[in-house]
Amino acid sequence: MRKKVLAGNWKMNLNSNQSSVLFSEITSSFIDNSYLKIIVFPPFLYTKDLLSIDSNVSIGVQNFHPESNGAYTGEVSVSQIKDIGVTHTLVGHSERRTLFNESDDFLKQKVDAALKNNIEVIFCCGESIEIRESANPEDFVTKQLHSSLFHLSKEEIQKCMIAYEPIWAIGTGKVANEDQISKMHTAIRNEIKSKYDEETANQISILYGGSCKPSNAKAIFSCENVDGGLIGGASLDSNSFVELSNCF
Ligand code: PGA
């Protein structure tokens, strides 16, 4: 059965001490269980410190470069993140797509590089407010999957999770409503089913992200085909993040 997942994207926040304190507050509050997987994505600089702490929380990176090494000033390579023991990565977050111009093709290269190095991918997708209001958001999002994820084999895609994050809901306090969430998550699962098969579709965890917090999480997590959340702002506070883990 597919796992429930709670993932915290700390983005470019916190200093070294704050990141260690937050991590230890989170890890000391979670009881290890096979039902819920917890992953945090700290700023890259603090990743190694957190990896050295024995815990039941997985550590991922928010970004990496798909090449193994070379003249890419300022970048961190896929081999380097593997070398320090990173197990998960985000790929396709809307902030990477829009602020750093990451194209569908580049995201495809990142997905391939991560999987080749046994790093599990949370592939992010989601539409802008303009697309939500004037076009078919399900078509747009499933196209994102076809462009950067659906070239994978059945075995490979089973090592990925998908996070649906409507851009207009990220960090804005506006949450997609339950109908919009269920419709999108079901469209994503159906698209995996038609590209691969039912068994594959049923194995992939699909998370929701965008202004998810303890006050709305129960309703979101109980929507059809929602297997958890990718949390930004509310993951920076240990009480909220731990409370979110009790909303499943
Ligand atoms: P938010 O961010 O929870 O602050 O809206 C979610 C994300 O960007 O992953």
Side-chain angles (χ1 to χ4, degrees):
M1 217 184 80
R2 61 181 180 262
K3 283 198 186 85
K4 298 287 180 193
V5 179
L6 183 66
N9 176 8
W10 297 357
K11 307 193 180 182
M12 197 175 70
N13 294 301
L14 309 174
N15 63 28
S16 162
N17 185 51
Q18 289 165 334
S19 124
S20 302
V21 170
L22 177 58
F23 190 70
S24 70
E25 287 173 354
I26 290 171
T27 51
S28 60
S29 307
F30 283 123
I31 304 153
D32 211 356
N33 69 48
S34 54
Y35 172 76
L36 180 66
K37 185 174 180 61
I38 312 282
I39 314 165
V40 294
F41 296 87
F44 185 76
L45 210 52
Y46 311 136
T47 312
K48 204 172 169 195
D49 287 346
L50 304 190
L51 278 164
S52 67
I53 301 165
D54 187 30
S55 87
N56 48 15
V57 172
S58 301
I59 314 270
V61 290
Q62 300 168 19
N63 185 39
F64 66 94
H65 194 283
E67 291 295 334
S68 294
N69 49 54
Y72 297 94
T73 301
E75 292 293 301
V76 172
S77 82
V78 67
S79 329
Q80 290 163 335
I81 62 166
K82 186 187 178 190
D83 180 44
I84 62 166
V86 164
T87 52
H88 292 77
T89 185
L90 300 178
V91 174
H93 191 284
S94 62
E95 287 151 18
R96 299 294 322 167
R97 291 177 191 260
T98 52
L99 302 175
F100 301 97
N101 301 318
E102 292 194 359
S103 66
D104 287 341
D105 194 50
F106 189 62
L107 299 181
K108 194 171 168 182
Q109 290 174 42
K110 288 177 85 170
V111 166
D112 290 342
L115 295 181
K116 212 168 136 202
N117 286 278
N118 284 324
I119 295 165
E120 283 183 49
V121 169
I122 298 186
F123 183 82
C124 307
C125 52
E127 81 288 355
S128 64
I129 191 67
E130 291 76 23
I131 290 166
R132 169 58 61 181
E133 284 172 353
S134 65
N136 181 328
E138 285 77 25
D139 271 3
F140 178 83
V141 165
T142 50
K143 269 191 197 117
Q144 288 183 318
L145 301 178
H146 279 277
S147 302
S148 309
L149 199 64
F150 281 2
H151 62 288
L152 296 175
S153 69
K154 203 160 97 171
E155 292 67 33
E156 288 168 331
I157 201 162
Q158 286 175 11
K159 293 183 190 126
C160 298
M161 296 174 235
I162 293 171
Y164 166 57
E165 299 200 301
I167 299 172
W168 46 274
I170 296 179
T172 58
K174 283 186 205 153
V175 194
N177 67 40
E178 290 155 45
D179 279 353
Q180 291 169 326
I181 296 174
S182 298
K183 196 169 170 208
M184 182 62 80
H185 281 238
T186 301
I188 292 172
R189 192 151 337 266
N190 286 342
E191 200 69 13
I192 306 171
K193 188 170 146 188
S194 64
K195 168 74 190 171
Y196 297 91
D197 55 35
E198 189 155 7
E199 198 199 340
T200 307
N202 285 336
Q203 269 178 33
I204 296 179
S205 299
I206 308 176
L207 320 184
Y208 169 81
S211 298
C212 183
K213 45 184 186 282
S215 58
N216 57 29
K218 263 203 178 104
I220 294 172
F221 296 163
S222 48
C223 288
E224 209 180 339
N225 284 309
V226 173
D227 304 305
L230 176 56
I231 317 296
S235 71
L236 294 170
D237 175 79
S238 58
N239 292 328
S240 314
F241 196 60
V242 171
E243 224 181 307
L244 283 164
S245 72
N246 297 322
C247 291
F248 286 90

